[in-house]
Amino acid sequence: MKALVVLLALAAQLALAAEEPVRLDSAPIDPRDVASLQSGARIFVNYCLNCHSAGMMRYHKLLDLGLTEQQVKENLLFTTDKIGELMNVAMTRKDAKEWLGTAPPDLSVIARARGPDWLYTYMRSFYRDPESATGWNNMVFERVAMPHVLWTLSGQQVQEERKFKNMEQAEAVGRQQKSAWKIDVLTPDQAGKDGERFILKTIRTETAGSLSQIDYDIMVRDLVNFMTWMSEPNQITRKQVGYVVMLVLLVLLVLTYLLYKEFWKDVH
Amino acid sequence: MSNQSRVNRKRRSLVIASACAGGASALATAVPFAASMLPSERAVALGAPVEAEIGQLNPGEKMTVEWRGQPVWILHRTKEMLEEIERTDGKVADPKSERKKGELTPEYARNEYRSIKPEYLVVVGICSHLGCSPQDKFKPGPEAFESQWTGGFYCPCHGSLFDLAGRVYKNKPAPDNLKVPPYTYLSDTRILIGEDKKRA
Amino acid sequence: MAAAEKQAVTGAGPFNGLLTWIDQRFPLMQTWRSHLSEYYAPKNFNFWYYFGSLALFVLVIQIVTGIFLTMNYKPDAAQAFASVEYIMREVPWGWWIRYMHSTGASFFFICVYLHMFRAMLYGSYRNPRELLWIFGMLIFLCLMAEAFFGYLLPWGQMSYWGAQVIVNLFDAIPVIGPDLAIWIRGDFVVSDATLNRFFAYHVIAVPLALLALVVAHLLALHEVGSSNPDGVEIKNVKDPKTGRPLDGIPFHPYYTVKDTFGVVVFLVVFSMVVFFAPDAGGYFLEHNNFIPADPLKTPAHIAPVWYFTPYYSILRATTDEFVLWVLAPGVVAFALLLIWSMKKSATRIAVGVIAIVLLAGLLSLDAKVWGVVLMATSVMIFFFLPWLDRSPVRSIRYKGPITKTALSLFVIVFFVLGYLGTESVTEGRTLAAQVGTAVYFLFFFLMPWYSKMDKCLPEPERVTSK
């Protein structure tokens, strides 16, 4: 009974400030764009692989992206010298937990869990937050433990709030944003006298980074493209085999249909 | 009646066509299943070529390197040992390594010493009989298993004998010489086992 | 000697000799005749009659792909997740085998649900096919168990928390519940021990039972003969000379060729999913299951795979208020209905006593218990269909408007509950699920009355074509 009361109280608190999920941007990825995948692989190895592993992915698999063994060895192998190794990370989970508070998740199949759109929006939604331990927060992932690794490239963003009287207005302004946005809804008591209950939260670049916003978006696109490919490296083969199988099945379909109709001529 | 036979002929050819197409498809489906039992990419990665440093190996000494989970022996042969090999020509079953040429002895090792450089023997230390690993018996002299032993390897499982070039003795359970793996010299003191062409 | 009395096999060309040799030592030709070439099936099977053979076909796919998966899968909490990805990436063609298995699981349920719906449409469970139906229901239960055990094996977040939630259902059982849940898990939480035993159930225990039941199901079918969309017995009208049913055709070759065509159509749809959309938008492979199991962190939104969601919705719909305002009055009303329609005073008293006990339970025990009970009942109730349906006719073709409406409502509600089960809970959705749950059970509990009072059309003598 006591637990129930606590639960109800918690639920009530949550209900007070209903939080709408962030509208995700659609990631313009293309698993057949080899140049983008190669660039994404480079970004991934340079920036992500320092803390995150991709422990189910073998460097050797990168050869599928049109890279030669020599290119992989020279440009992408930092933690090992063997191309047959898995993309592991030197940091142990225990150390990681001590240094970062939480062990960075393995990224081999993260794109299948989160979806490319989420990753694409997430990597473009960090903002400065003095209250967080790392100094960073994220629109998509509230109080994320990961700092904004790419901030020298993207510049520094801050969160902005604008109040609106109704949802439609807030959404209309939100839709014009180039970056992630969400709308928090207050209860009438919280809103105060003016009745502005709908808070549009957006981020704005305060200091520019070394890349323009367009170039940064392209960089994130390449990274997400690579991570999506990495989450299922056989996806291209899978579809190619699929076309062949469908063709064979169509032949079988015609044959078995004729066979069926031929025999069923007997049945009156 | 002729109508009947026409129907039957059509039926018959349809049955045959469907059976063939279905059978071929079923067979094609079985291929991936069978292929899934081949070594995986992990197995291939673990079986990747290994490098060995042989500069430290003194004449008469042997070192073992693991390649694809198997022992690969590198024996630095002395002058006397090489002479012994010439003397065993008559005792061994396949002195010129002519059996299963491509599989057991790469072309560059198809000589009396079964090696690229006569001093260094590189062989997989697995008996060609039933897969035991033979023991070193380098010292010439009378042995229980051979009164005029000139040095080589002795397999403890079923008594097969190999000379110092890994050639099998006649009239022993083992049918073939010890396998020479593909290998190549990266430099005078480094060899790469598992691959013989220079890597791209 | 019995062997000598048998006739030599003919018609198999060069194999005649071999087949004769076998036939004299094994009932080869007899089996062939009684189950294929001289098993007479009604000639008017329609679209719905494909799904039995298709379910059998999926079973074969699951067994074959399953065998190859076990060659590389590791039933170990530390390695399971990675070993599945190992199959997907590093084993030659492993991705194809795994996708066939994961897609096959969903298609198994699609086929079985459609197969069951066929039986409900045409009254295939009616006398004398009750046991056939019961075997079928047991297969369905095995299938649910098989799917549940198998779903833990990838050891992702959904695997883990799904197993956690379902095992905790047993926790709701009064007195023995908590100990029972621990016994099932072999640990205080879902763990390596649980994974290991679920693996054993999934790869050997349940499949053995499943296979035995499939054999029993087929034997029972061939004993009583197949029903058909008209729901009339083809055995009633026989050719006086040959003794064969006039409306029957030999299963082989007529239904073997027809079902072969069905299998190819099935393969087209199946392959489209396997090769082009193996996740099926998160319905066949859930997104969160690509995150390794983490006993310390429940995902924000957990839902079972789609085939369990209707029952899951019923579980979630059972709140305290639902028990108080719907379930309790429902029990009272149903008891009164039963007492009103019963003749003997002894049974009336028995019904009254049971109702009072139930009512006492409803008002004293947690809603959690009743959620589990309702969920279990929602599946088990299907067992009783042969006795709940008291219509004078079998097939929906000749049933009256009430039954048609009831069945349509049931189908709609089944889909709505299924959809709600995949979504997170809101007040509105819970209310919808509660209405759905009520309709779901009314469909079954009122069936003895509405099926009897419905205005049915007369059944034909012989099957109709179309």
Side-chain angles (χ1 to χ4, degrees), chain B residues 29 32-33 35-36 40-42, chain C residues 68 86 90-93 96 100:
Chain B
T29 312
F33 281 99
S36 78
S40 70
E41 284 180 36
R42 174 165 68 201
Chain C
F68 281 85
Y86 168 74
E90 311 219 298
V91 174
W93 294 94
W96 182 64
M100 280 209 286

Side-chain angles (χ1 to χ4, degrees), chain A residues 58 112 230 232 266 268, chain C residues 43 89-90 99 254 279:
Chain A
R58 231 169 261 291
R112 299 197 76 171
M230 177 176 71
E232 197 193 354
D266 303 351
H268 301 292
Chain C
K43 64 183 185 184
R89 290 153 184 267
E90 311 219 298
Y99 278 151
Y254 298 105
D279 304 359

Side-chain angles (χ1 to χ4, degrees), chain A residues 18-63:
Chain A
E19 213 166 84
E20 293 277 310
V22 174
R23 323 296 161 108
L24 299 179
D25 296 329
S26 126
I29 55 164
D30 175 9
R32 285 164 198 272
D33 184 346
V34 174
S36 158
L37 290 172
Q38 290 182 359
S39 141
R42 217 161 12 246
I43 299 163
F44 183 79
V45 170
N46 278 304
Y47 292 100
C48 310
L49 218 47
N50 295 323
C51 301
H52 293 276
S53 57
M56 292 143 207
M57 173 80 187
R58 231 169 261 291
Y59 285 102
H60 192 264
K61 204 79 187 162
L62 294 172
L63 301 189

Side-chain angles (χ1 to χ4, degrees), chain C residues 10-333:
Chain C
T10 56
F15 301 105
N16 277 342
L18 176 68
L19 292 183
T20 306
W21 187 87
I22 295 173
D23 192 45
Q24 284 169 351
R25 290 155 182 83
F26 178 85
L28 181 72
M29 295 315 288
Q30 188 204 327
T31 311
W32 170 263
R33 276 193 294 267
S34 62
H35 294 293
L36 286 163
S37 71
E38 285 171 24
Y39 173 69
Y40 288 90
K43 64 183 185 184
N44 61 334
F45 280 0
N46 59 14
F47 168 77
W48 296 104
Y49 284 78
Y50 278 116
F51 295 102
S53 61
L54 288 182
L56 190 62
F57 181 69
V58 187
L59 178 64
V60 174
I61 292 183
Q62 292 305 84
I63 289 174
V64 173
T65 53
I67 289 170
F68 281 85
L69 286 177
T70 40
M71 291 184 190
N72 290 297
Y73 172 76
K74 297 214 163 43
D76 172 334
Q79 300 180 63
F81 186 86
S83 77
V84 172
E85 274 308 310
Y86 168 74
I87 292 170
M88 296 290 293
R89 290 153 184 267
E90 311 219 298
V91 174
W93 294 94
W95 57 270
W96 182 64
I97 296 172
R98 197 273 174 125
Y99 278 151
M100 280 209 286
H101 201 73
S102 62
T103 311
S106 278
F107 272 86
F108 212 153
F109 275 93
I110 294 176
C111 289
V112 165
Y113 276 137
L114 293 175
H115 189 59
M116 287 166 72
F117 179 62
R118 191 283 319 277
M120 291 170 76
L121 270 182
Y122 301 127
S124 310
Y125 46 75
R126 299 289 296 274
N127 179 358
R129 298 187 178 81
E130 302 97 323
L131 191 58
L132 174 61
W133 171 256
I134 286 173
F135 282 137
M137 273 306 297
L138 289 173
I139 291 176
F140 180 55
L141 288 189
C142 273
L143 192 60
M144 292 175 91
E146 182 70 354
F148 167 64
F149 293 135
Y151 203 68
L152 182 67
L153 305 188
W155 204 245
Q157 277 287 65
M158 298 309 268
S159 305
Y160 184 87
W161 292 99
Q164 174 82 343
V165 168
I166 302 295
V167 174
N168 275 334
L169 291 183
F170 293 92
D171 194 70
I173 298 172
V175 189
I176 59 161
D179 288 332
L180 182 63
I182 289 173
W183 179 76
I184 290 170
R185 286 187 297 252
D187 204 332
F188 305 99
V189 289
V190 172
S191 69
D192 188 64
T194 323
L195 175 63
N196 238 312
R197 60 185 62 182
F198 276 26
F199 179 69
Y201 300 141
H202 182 75
V203 302
I204 183 72
V206 184
L208 275 183
L210 201 54
L211 279 175
L213 285 167
V214 167
V215 171
H217 190 62
L218 283 173
L219 287 179
L221 172 70
H222 288 199
E223 180 64 28
V224 294
S226 309
S227 180
N228 65 78
D230 281 309
V232 297
E233 285 296 345
I234 59 166
K235 280 178 190 162
N236 294 346
V237 190
K238 284 183 175 166
D239 186 330
K241 269 182 251 160
T242 58
R244 291 172 186 169
L246 282 175
D247 286 329
I249 47 176
F251 192 87
H252 179 75
Y254 298 105
Y255 280 113
T256 41
V257 293
K258 195 179 178 190
D259 284 349
T260 307
F261 170 65
V263 162
V264 177
V265 174
F266 168 85
L267 278 175
V268 170
V269 181
F270 182 69
S271 302
M272 277 202 249
V273 177
V274 167
F275 291 109
F276 301 109
D279 304 359
Y283 281 101
F284 289 5
L285 288 173
E286 292 176 292
H287 298 305
N288 272 331
N289 223 21
F290 286 103
I291 300 174
D294 182 350
L296 303 179
K297 207 156 58 188
T298 312
H301 170 60
I302 74 161
V305 202
W306 69 268
Y307 39 75
F308 289 139
T309 50
Y311 321 111
Y312 185 65
S313 263
I314 291 175
L315 174 79
R316 288 200 303 197
T318 317
T319 58
D320 280 324
E321 291 194 358
F322 184 73
V323 172
L324 190 62
W325 297 111
V326 181
L327 222 48
V331 167
V332 174

Side-chain angles (χ1 to χ4, degrees), chain A residues 104-120:
Chain A
D106 185 276
L107 297 182
S108 314
V109 286
I110 199 77
R112 299 197 76 171
R114 297 287 194 177
D117 293 349
W118 189 92
L119 290 174
Y120 183 66

